[in-house]
C-alpha cells in the first residue's frame, strides 16, 4: 500500500568452466619457469648495491637506537611501562647486545645458582 512493489530481477549466472588437470599442470610449469627467470634477474640486481643505499643503511643503523630511546623518554610520561621498555630496547641496541646474549646470561646465572659446589 505505502511502498513500491519489488521489481523482479532476472540475474543471469555465467557458466564457469574450470581448467582440466593438464591445463593446471601446464600453468604451474609456466609459472615456475617465469619465477626462475625472474629470480635470476633479481639476484643480479641485488649484487649491484649502490653506494647511496649502503650509506643510508649505515646512518639508519646509527640513528635508530637514539630515536627509540627518545621516543621511550617521551612516552614514559603517559605510559611508564611502554616508555621503560623502549628505553631498554634502545640502550641494548646501542650497546650491540642481542637476545642470544641475554639468554646466555640468564643460563649462566641459572647454572651458577643451581650448582652444587
Amino acid at each position: 500500500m505505502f511502498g513500491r512493489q519489488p521489481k523482479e530481477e532476472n540475474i543471469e549466472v555465467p557458466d564457469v568452466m574450470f581448467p582440466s588437470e593438464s591445463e593446471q599442470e601446464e600453468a604451474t610449469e609456466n609459472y615456475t619457469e617465469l619465477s626462475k627467470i625472474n629470480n635470476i634477474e633479481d639476484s643480479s640486481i641485488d649484487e649491484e648495491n649502490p653506494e647511496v643505499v649502503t650509506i643510508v643503511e649505515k646512518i639508519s643503523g646509527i640513528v635508530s637506537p637514539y630515536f627509540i630511546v627518545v621516543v621511550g623518554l617521551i612516552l614514559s610520561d603517559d605510559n611508564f611501562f611502554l616508555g621503560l621498555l623502549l628505553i631498554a630496547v634502545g640502550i641494548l641496541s646501542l650497546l650491540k647486545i642481542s637476545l642470544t646474549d641475554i639468554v646466555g646470561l640468564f643460563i649462566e646465572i641459572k647454572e651458577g645458582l643451581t650448582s652444587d659446589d
Side-chain angles (χ1 to χ4, degrees):
M1 182 171 130
F2 294 107
R4 295 186 194 175
Q5 295 293 331
K7 295 181 181 178
E8 293 182 23
E9 295 181 17
N10 293 331
I11 300 174
E12 294 182 21
V13 179
D15 292 333
V16 178
M17 298 291 292
F18 293 104
S20 65
E21 289 182 22
S22 61
E23 291 174 349
Q24 289 177 351
E25 290 175 4
E26 183 180 328
T28 55
E29 288 174 4
N30 290 339
Y31 178 75
T32 54
E33 289 175 11
L34 288 174
S35 63
K36 287 178 184 177
I37 292 171
N38 289 336
N39 286 339
I40 292 170
E41 292 175 2
D42 291 341
S43 63
S44 64
I45 292 172
D46 291 339
E47 292 173 0
E48 301 171 4
N49 202 2
E51 281 186 36
V52 176
V53 174
T54 55
I55 292 171
V56 169
E57 286 176 353
K58 288 179 183 178
I59 292 172
S60 174
I62 294 169
V63 173
S64 64
Y66 292 105
F67 180 75
I68 292 171
V69 171
V70 169
V71 170
L73 288 171
I74 293 170
L75 286 178
S76 64
D77 292 336
D78 296 332
N79 190 344
F80 180 74
F81 179 72
L82 182 61
L84 186 66
L85 182 69
L86 286 175
I87 291 169
V89 167
I91 290 173
L92 290 176
S93 64
L94 278 171
L95 298 175
K96 305 280 189 218
I97 298 174
S98 67
L99 186 61
T100 55
D101 296 334
I102 295 171
V103 170
L105 179 68
F106 280 128
I107 291 173
E108 288 179 14
I109 292 171
K110 180 182 171 186
E111 290 174 355
L113 293 175
T114 58
S115 66
D116 293 329
D117 287 10

